[in-house]
Amino acid sequence: MSTIDSSNKPRLPRDERRALLLSAALEVFTAAGYHSAAMDEIADRANVSKPVLYQHFPSKLELYLAVLDLHIDSLVFEIQRAIASTPDNANRVHATVDAYFAFIEKEGEAFRLLFESDMSVEPSVRERLNRMTYDCAAAASAVISIDTGLPKEASMLLGVGMIGYAQVTARHWLDRDSALTREQAVELVNNLMWRGISGFPRN
């Protein structure tokens, strides 16, 4: 049950409050960029006082990293789940591509924050983005290594290539304001990617 503060306004549980703040921060960071975003604006968007915002996140950078972590974990989970969803490799590739485009369709603002951020040169941000690519590619490379017998580094290179291809084409689709439907885009990207990776003989 929610507690009541001295002004008789319901106080949200901490986890709900944090989620609200992260959602508001995503909107502001995406619209203004990190450097132009103001903590005052984020607090106003979340309908909380600035001291409440700082209770949860002591600095703007910590808030930004928390937003990144939330959406990186979400994307990595969806990619890992797609790769593990079927033993059929053609279906794996399709599911992986579709996972990227589904993420964009649902969370376009988060995707822009991950891949078009004005903070990508910040070491703590770059480390997280590199980890995201690595974790997604590692899931793909494990299957490639088992199926082809290629050594670890070769399989990882192919995994990074597949993930990078999905990321770049998904970003293009988003920038074009979805001139193609998601289904059309996924089929085009899937066909090109599968024709490439299926050329490697199975072990």
Side-chain angles (χ1 to χ4, degrees), residues 40-163:
D40 287 341
E41 184 180 357
I42 294 170
D44 288 344
R45 186 72 61 95
N47 197 28
V48 301
S49 66
K50 195 172 178 181
V52 168
L53 177 57
Y54 277 109
Q55 285 175 9
H56 288 265
F57 303 101
S59 71
K60 185 166 72 167
L61 179 58
E62 288 188 52
L63 174 56
Y64 187 85
L65 294 176
V67 174
L68 276 186
D69 286 338
L70 175 66
H71 295 289
I72 285 173
D73 289 347
S74 176
L75 178 57
V76 169
F77 173 79
E78 292 301 329
I79 297 305
Q80 291 174 336
R81 184 170 70 170
I83 292 172
S85 66
T86 172
D88 181 86
N89 286 332
N91 290 337
R92 274 195 180 112
V93 172
H94 187 279
T96 301
V97 174
D98 189 54
Y100 267 102
F101 283 83
F103 182 84
I104 288 178
E105 195 168 55
K106 181 180 178 183
E107 302 188 60
E109 288 184 338
F111 196 83
R112 284 191 169 96
L113 190 73
L114 294 176
F115 297 106
E116 299 173 9
S117 170
D118 59 352
M119 281 288 283
S120 60
V121 296
E122 164 67 31
S124 56
V125 173
R126 175 52 47 193
E127 184 275 330
R128 283 164 167 80
L129 296 178
N130 288 342
R131 173 175 56 82
M132 175 184 64
T133 299
Y134 179 88
D135 288 348
C136 291
S141 71
V143 175
I144 293 170
S145 179
I146 292 171
D147 278 3
T148 65
L150 289 171
K152 179 180 177 180
E153 286 304 316
S155 298
M156 190 64 182
L157 182 63
L158 292 176
V160 170
M162 292 180 66
I163 294 304

